[in-house]
Amino acid sequence: IFESRGGAMLYNCAYKCKFKEHFELEKFPFDRQDLQIELRLDDPKSWELFDLTVITVQFGRNALKLPEWDSFEPVVRRVEGSETRASVVQLQVVRKSYFFLTSII
């Protein structure tokens, strides 16, 4: 595609989504959570034609307004296995224990 321009194609898309995650609460209110979103090409026929690369992750302004949590910069890593090729976006959040201790107790 576009060989005269280096043979690359860029496709941008945006989604408004809600995700769920089960939290491990053994260390509550001093817990840390790893939240993951997996994007994948799961059809082996497409592996020779396409390469899924996540370059940047953006969140809506209100998505990271979390008074009870500190969030860190997302990490993107590639996963290549025999049955899938994927990019995993990992967001780590740490509970502000003082928020819970001063607001609830």
Side-chain angles (χ1 to χ4, degrees), residues 9-10 12 28 33 45 52 54 60 63 70 87 90 101 103:
M9 180 179 82
L10 176 65
N12 283 323
F28 179 85
Q33 304 295 329
K45 295 177 210 164
L52 175 63
V54 176
D70 283 324
S87 287
Q90 185 170 7
L101 295 172
S103 299

Side-chain angles (χ1 to χ4, degrees), residues 39-90:
L39 307 167
R40 69 173 125 166
L41 295 172
D42 58 357
D43 182 1
K45 295 177 210 164
S46 67
W47 292 358
E48 298 301 319
L49 301 172
F50 302 101
D51 183 25
L52 175 63
T53 302
V54 176
I55 297 171
T56 186
V57 178
Q58 295 179 330
F59 293 96
R61 244 174 239 205
N62 292 331
L64 296 177
K65 288 184 180 176
L66 307 168
E68 189 178 341
W69 299 93
D70 283 324
S71 57
F72 296 90
E73 183 176 339
V75 175
V76 178
R77 62 183 168 81
R78 292 178 68 126
V79 178
E80 294 190 20
S82 60
E83 296 183 18
T84 187
R85 296 203 180 158
S87 287
V88 175
V89 178
Q90 185 170 7

Side-chain angles (χ1 to χ4, degrees), residues 23-33 69 94-97 100-101:
F23 283 16
E24 297 89 27
L25 297 174
E26 290 85 11
K27 297 180 181 178
F28 179 85
F30 306 100
D31 52 322
R32 169 184 308 257
Q33 304 295 329
W69 299 93
V94 176
R95 189 182 307 272
K96 297 176 184 174
S97 57
F100 177 78
L101 295 172

Side-chain angles (χ1 to χ4, degrees), residues 1-10:
I1 300 174
F2 303 116
E3 287 185 35
S4 62
R5 296 183 183 176
M9 180 179 82
L10 176 65

